[in-house]
Amino acid sequence: PSSDTSNIAVATTIESSSEAAEDTTAAPSAAGTSEEGLALGQQIANYACQFVGNPYVYGGSSLTNGTDCSGFVMSVYANFGVTLPHSSAADRSQGSAVEGGLANAQPGDIVCYSGHVAIYIGGGRIVHASTAATGIKISNADYRTPLAVRRIF
């Protein structure tokens, strides 16, 4: 697991306006299994799912007007005060590795594929900006073989 967490902020309070307050004094949990981490992961998954049906645009990062896969993950996490790169390959080194991959994935984890990235929402499913034809949608997490599952919180 990467020990560089300098670009990760931990969101601790979600306000009704969907803005996140940053707590820069708390270090992210390496295991990410605290009740707070689980609750935040579920909030991230829920937030991401509201954009299902919106368009895919290569190079985009607008959750409403069009985004690509890494722009989607980046923009969803940005709403919770977390800075992630606009690169599916770079996302594979963010946060900490989830040992056991999909078998141990929790809502809010990032699922990394070759040339693609998604957000795990639970129940063996992901939400992702898929293609220009299908846009942002929910799929089975094992529709392709994941290269990594990363826990950001």
Side-chain angles (χ1 to χ4, degrees):
S2 172
S3 60
D4 179 14
T5 57
S6 60
N7 66 334
I8 299 173
V10 178
T12 57
T13 305
I14 308 303
E15 300 170 11
S16 60
S17 65
S18 295
E19 292 180 355
E22 290 184 43
D23 178 1
T24 56
T25 61
S29 168
T33 55
S34 69
E35 284 187 37
E36 295 82 9
L38 290 171
L40 179 57
Q42 189 62 61
Q43 289 174 4
I44 289 166
N46 293 348
Y47 179 75
C49 286
Q50 75 180 329
F51 301 103
V52 168
N54 289 350
Y56 173 98
V57 174
Y58 180 79
S61 60
S62 169
L63 295 171
T64 53
N65 296 322
T67 184
D68 62 16
C69 63
S70 60
F72 176 70
V73 172
M74 177 184 76
S75 296
V76 166
Y77 268 86
N79 187 70
F80 293 87
V82 177
T83 302
L84 293 175
H86 194 168
S87 163
S88 60
D91 283 340
R92 289 198 299 268
S93 65
Q94 302 300 304
S96 59
V98 174
E99 298 303 323
L102 285 178
N104 294 322
Q106 297 172 358
D109 287 347
I110 294 176
V111 182
C112 304
Y113 305 89
S114 178
H116 194 62
V117 65
I119 297 172
Y120 189 76
I121 59 171
R125 297 173 60 85
I126 56 168
V127 61
H128 59 136
S130 182
T131 67
T134 60
I136 298 171
K137 68 178 199 170
I138 293 173
S139 301
N140 289 327
D142 63 358
Y143 87 106
R144 290 166 65 180
T145 302
L147 298 178
V149 178
R150 306 295 296 184
R151 187 149 303 145
I152 304 302
F153 47 89

